[in-house]
Amino acid sequence: MSLQDCAGSDERFSSYVEGLAGVIGHADRVKPLRDYCSGLLMPCERKSVEPLAAVTAPGRTAAQHQSLLHFVGQASWSDEKVLAKVPQLTPTAVLAASS
């Protein structure tokens, strides 16, 4: 199933990423954030940057791997700010179901 198969999911995903983008700082981090989040939602065995790069940019996996690796390991965004923002962007029904 793709994101487009679920009514409104593409818009909700974009809104979620935009909300997170507001706390990660520089605009140049938004695309890697979107790619990373997309990869986490896609079916693949491992959720590390190499397989995520392969599913999010199959035609340029090596470059995507470097981009995601830098985003996850080198970029100076705050984990605390991102984690504090997630509950604001997540519907309460989803949060209640997961607890």
Side-chain angles (χ1 to χ4, degrees):
M1 176 186 333
S2 69
L3 289 176
Q4 290 76 24
D5 291 337
C6 297
S9 63
D10 194 37
E11 292 82 17
R12 289 191 309 271
F13 179 73
S14 290
S15 177
Y16 181 80
V17 171
E18 287 172 22
L20 292 179
V23 297
I24 64 167
H26 298 285
D28 61 347
R29 295 182 189 140
V30 176
K31 183 176 179 342
L33 170 66
R34 176 176 295 281
D35 292 345
Y36 185 73
C37 290
S38 295
L40 291 174
L41 293 171
M42 296 179 84
C44 59
E45 280 189 40
R46 294 180 14 245
K47 299 297 182 177
S48 59
V49 292
E50 189 171 0
L52 295 183
V55 297
T56 58
R60 50 184 229 48
T61 301
Q64 181 75 334
H65 179 251
Q66 288 300 312
S67 175
L68 293 176
L69 195 60
H70 177 76
F71 174 72
V72 171
Q74 305 287 321
S76 59
W77 45 274
S78 166
D79 292 349
E80 292 82 17
K81 287 181 182 179
V82 171
L83 291 172
K85 187 68 176 176
V86 169
Q88 298 170 19
L89 302 171
T90 307
T92 54
V94 173
L95 290 175
S98 66
S99 55

